[in-house]
Amino acid sequence: MTPIVEATNISKWYGKVIGLNNFSIKVEKGITGIVGPNGAGKSTFFKLLTGNIKTNVGELRVLGEAPWRNPRQLAKIGFCPDYDFLPGEMKGREYLRFVGGLHSMEGTALQDRIAEVLGIVGMTKDADRGMGGYSKGMKQRLKIAGALLHDPPLLLLDEPLTGTDPVVRKELIDIIRDLNRVHGHDVIVSSHVLHEIERMTHSVALIYKGRTVAIGNISEIRQLMSGHPHNIVLEGSHMVDMAKVLVSRDFTVSVELRPDRTGMVVKVDRPEAFFDAMPEMAREAGCELRRMESLDDDLESVFKYVVRW
Amino acid sequence: MDLRGNMIGFRTMLVFSSRKLVSHRRWLLAVALGALVCAVMGYGATQDMADIDTASDMMDLLLLTFLLPVLALIYGASMIRNEMDDRSIIQVITSPLDRRTSYLGYFIALTIVLVVLLSIITALGGVSFFMMNGEEGAAGLVLAFMYAMCIGAVVYSALFLVLGVVLKQPIYLGLFYVFIWEGFVGSLEGAIGQYTIRHQLRVIVSDMVSSGNIANVEGDTGTATAILVVLTVVLLVLGVYAFREKEMP
């Protein structure tokens, strides 16, 4: 199957700042999540896909064509950026008329399509209000409606969930899933939160500092998260005894007791084995735990581990 | 995108960009500057010895030398630059509309808004003077300046629009151009004073009026018009090229 996006060793830098660094990826049809912390290069990647900027080196193909200086191709792409650009003085429906006009849509066909996309994103009721009074969630919905209006095969959604409350986030996740399952659009969606992406798709690419760290199924990514060494904070009673028990286990790499002996940081190379053994170890040491927290149970740690930082 | 698509896109750019220009708070500044011109013209008309020559000189100074380039700078330099800065331009540059077409949409919208604004202010300024003074020949003078203002709006729009695309702070170079080059260098005697848009506009007006210092400006109207047309085309081509090649991070 031909990938919808194929980037081969692309790099993009802005002066001395590197946006993407020897970045390669193949994106297949369906929903694909691009996950990475802020500054990882997600937005740079989207700007390259839409031809807003051009690569310094490497080859990029979107739907089989190079995107730079290729406005014709933008008829096949709908883009929803991560920032707020909606003109506050306009009404939602007026804004969509503007977007439709730029995509050579007019007349009743445009009116009908506007009504349809407003229905898809759940904004029919508020479409005739000024956008200046919209909540963050409403703005995100309308931005998605704008990207969707010309019915493109490929949708690029850059951090569509950022700044929304949990209820809106759930609704947006449902909408994004339906854009693929019900309406047949291929979707590339970015986020810096893995579990948000996990609720939309199992196909994920992790990027960090402008590079692809891992691409694949979300379960493989989860494996990476639980498989890399963790630093775990323990607080409670009998910490010295607990430390003695811990150093006798083969998953323990190091133990660092606090001077006041009420807590420690233990480094383990197999976190899952550590957590499984914890109840038994606590019993053995006679320890009552008040706090147990992994300092590395996040994507940032996975990225650092994978790139050996 | 085919021709029909480009036409719809162009029309959309024209309508929404004009609307954005008119509804922006800049209109307060335009009204204030317009009111200032009208007030000064009206006041000038009440002074001793004020006649149609006075009216012509005032229009030359207030409208052609000051208001025309300043309003064009305020509206033109910020038009695309503001959209690039607040990133609302994203909708235009991620649409299949050819960037050459969208740039022309910006240009025509800017020109129309400036022509309407400047025509109204010129007419009101002229009316202010002649109502207070009662001199004859008012209509011809006002129409001549209105004509020059419209031509000037086209040329200055092309100039300041391209500055807004290529420079992050176009206003500084724009101010330098308006006040140092056009205002100071343009008023020098000799050939160097002719290398300004203002001079070419004055040549065109001189052919249409017989009052005031502007009537004595030497030059060929056909040549002046040709210079302005060529300059506009060159600036537009430059602007279209810069806009098309521009990366918008």
Side-chain angles (χ1 to χ4, degrees):
Chain A
M1 193 189 300
T2 315
I4 53 173
V5 170
E6 186 168 10
T8 312
N9 301 323
I10 59 170
S11 292
K12 175 66 194 175
W13 52 84
Y14 311 97
K16 289 179 179 172
V17 179
I18 293 181
L20 286 177
N21 183 13
N22 209 22
F23 179 89
S24 295
I25 194 173
K26 274 185 189 175
V27 178
E28 304 292 342
K29 292 175 84 65
I31 302 180
T32 302
I34 305 288
V35 183
N38 293 330
K42 303 187 293 294
S43 295
T44 297
F45 181 49
F46 282 117
K47 285 171 196 160
L48 287 167
L49 295 181
T50 51
N52 290 358
I53 54 177
K54 58 183 170 187
T55 56
N56 293 105
V57 290
E59 193 185 359
L60 178 64
R61 314 289 288 179
V62 182
L63 302 172
E65 293 180 50
W68 172 246
R69 272 206 315 211
N70 189 357
R72 206 162 35 92
Q73 195 192 33
L74 291 166
K76 296 183 253 176
I77 298 173
F79 179 46
C80 171
D82 59 338
Y83 48 84
D84 180 14
F85 62 88
L86 297 173
E89 72 279 3
M90 279 170 96
K91 292 174 181 169
R93 198 181 298 273
E94 280 175 333
Y95 163 71
L96 292 178
R97 270 204 292 271
F98 168 59
V99 176
L102 294 176
H103 286 88
S104 64
M105 300 165 78
E106 63 177 345
T108 49
L110 175 59
Q111 299 303 332
D112 294 346
R113 180 62 183 160
I114 288 174
E116 189 182 345
V117 295
L118 285 171
I120 291 171
V121 299
M123 281 292 288
T124 306
K125 198 159 57 80
D126 298 297
D128 295 305
R129 279 177 47 196
M131 293 191 291
Y134 279 5
S135 66
K136 180 79 182 173
M138 291 161 105
K139 285 180 179 172
Q140 294 290 30
R141 285 166 197 266
L142 207 76
K143 277 157 61 182
I144 294 174
L148 193 59
L149 190 69
H150 57 292
D151 199 18
L154 175 60
L155 283 171
L156 307 173
L157 310 178
D158 192 6
E159 305 248 12
L161 308 178
T162 303
T164 55
D165 62 54
V167 177
V168 172
R169 207 171 302 152
K170 189 209 171 292
E171 290 169 356
L172 285 173
I173 287 170
D174 290 343
I175 288 170
I176 293 166
R177 274 201 308 228
D178 284 352
L179 288 176
N180 176 250
R181 290 178 192 171
V182 179
H183 304 284
H185 302 277
D186 295 314
V187 182
I188 302 178
V189 55
S190 73
S191 174
H192 55 273
V193 184
L194 183 63
H195 69 81
E196 286 179 351
I197 292 291
E198 198 171 5
R199 290 163 65 190
M200 299 178 220
T201 180
H202 292 288
S203 178
V204 175
L206 293 190
I207 68 172
Y208 185 61
K209 302 234 175 199
R211 288 180 173 225
T212 323
V213 172
I215 306 172
N217 193 284
I218 203 125
S219 58
E220 294 162 13
I221 307 291
R222 280 272 173 225
Q223 190 64 38
L224 265 178
M225 287 187 76
S226 58
H228 77 278
H230 279 217
N231 286 289
I232 298 162
V233 175
L234 297 178
E235 286 176 11
S237 63
H238 299 92
M239 282 289 111
V240 176
D241 296 329
M242 188 67 185
K244 286 178 187 165
V245 173
L246 277 166
V247 294
S248 69
R249 302 301 171 108
D250 61 356
F251 48 70
T252 304
V253 176
S254 64
V255 175
E256 193 179 328
L257 264 172
R258 274 196 218 150
D260 62 5
R261 303 287 192 261
T262 60
M264 70 175 104
V265 177
V266 54
K267 185 173 184 178
V268 297
D269 60 6
R270 285 179 291 121
E272 282 187 359
F274 166 82
F275 289 119
D276 288 347
M278 180 44 77
E280 181 220 321
M281 291 191 295
R283 258 197 316 275
E284 193 179 328
C287 165
E288 277 186 28
L289 282 175
R290 286 194 303 274
R291 179 182 171 216
M292 180 168 70
E293 184 190 354
S294 171
L295 300 177
D296 299 308
D297 192 22
D298 57 13
L299 277 174
E300 189 90 13
S301 308
V302 176
F303 295 131
K304 285 182 178 167
Y305 170 67
V306 174
V307 296
R308 300 288 191 272
W309 278 40
Chain B
M1 192 181 268
D2 58 7
L3 181 64
R4 182 182 158 274
N6 268 298
M7 291 304 291
I8 297 171
F10 178 76
R11 192 183 64 205
T12 306
M13 286 296 302
L14 202 61
V15 171
F16 282 88
S17 296
S18 316
R19 208 181 111 175
K20 199 169 178 179
L21 278 179
V22 173
S23 62
H24 193 277
R25 274 172 300 187
R26 280 187 219 100
W27 70 266
L28 285 170
L29 193 61
V31 168
L33 288 173
L36 178 72
V37 166
C38 293
V40 173
M41 293 283 293
Y43 173 76
T46 61
Q47 301 305 296
D48 290 343
M49 311 291 286
D51 55 13
I52 196 157
D53 288 328
T54 314
S56 177
D57 291 344
M58 289 185 82
M59 283 186 162
D60 184 12
L61 178 70
L62 289 173
L63 297 173
L64 216 53
T65 306
F66 172 68
L67 195 71
L68 169 63
V70 167
L71 266 192
L73 174 64
I74 291 169
Y75 277 85
S78 60
M79 188 183 196
I80 294 180
R81 175 48 56 186
N82 278 5
E83 289 195 14
M84 284 160 71
D85 289 346
D86 68 17
R87 300 191 282 185
S88 59
I89 201 163
I90 190 73
Q91 216 56 72
V92 176
I93 60 172
T94 55
S95 78
L97 185 64
D98 194 304
R99 283 198 192 180
R100 289 172 290 196
T101 310
S102 21
Y103 187 83
L104 288 178
Y106 281 120
F107 170 69
I108 302 292
L110 174 63
T111 304
I112 288 173
V113 169
L114 282 176
V115 161
V116 171
L117 271 176
L118 291 166
S119 297
I120 292 171
I121 294 172
T122 306
L124 288 176
V127 168
S128 306
F129 187 93
F130 292 107
M131 272 180 64
M132 301 299 284
N133 192 282
E135 282 274 335
E136 288 184 2
L141 189 68
V142 171
L143 284 176
F145 273 95
M146 218 183 255
Y147 176 67
M149 299 290 267
C150 292
I151 297 174
V154 177
V155 189
Y156 282 116
S157 293
L159 172 65
F160 294 128
L161 205 58
V162 73
L163 286 189
V165 172
V166 297
L167 298 177
K168 281 193 173 169
Q169 302 285 350
I171 206 82
Y172 296 123
L173 186 60
L175 285 171
F176 175 85
Y177 179 79
V178 169
F179 290 106
I180 305 297
W181 189 258
E182 293 259 321
F184 176 67
V185 178
S187 62
L188 295 175
E189 292 296 326
I192 194 166
Q194 297 174 12
Y195 297 123
T196 60
I197 296 171
R198 174 179 164 240
H199 175 78
Q200 307 307 328
L201 292 172
R202 294 184 86 221
V203 168
I204 292 171
V205 176
S206 72
D207 208 31
M208 302 167 73
V209 300
S210 53
S211 49
N213 290 327
I214 202 168
N216 303 321
V217 174
E218 288 181 5
D220 177 57
T221 305
T223 309
T225 308
I227 288 171
L228 293 178
V229 169
V230 170
L231 182 62
T232 305
V233 171
V234 168
L235 288 169
L236 273 179
V237 169
L238 273 177
V240 163
Y241 177 78
F243 191 62
R244 192 167 176 233
E245 295 296 317
K246 187 95 183 162
E247 288 190 87
M248 313 237 186

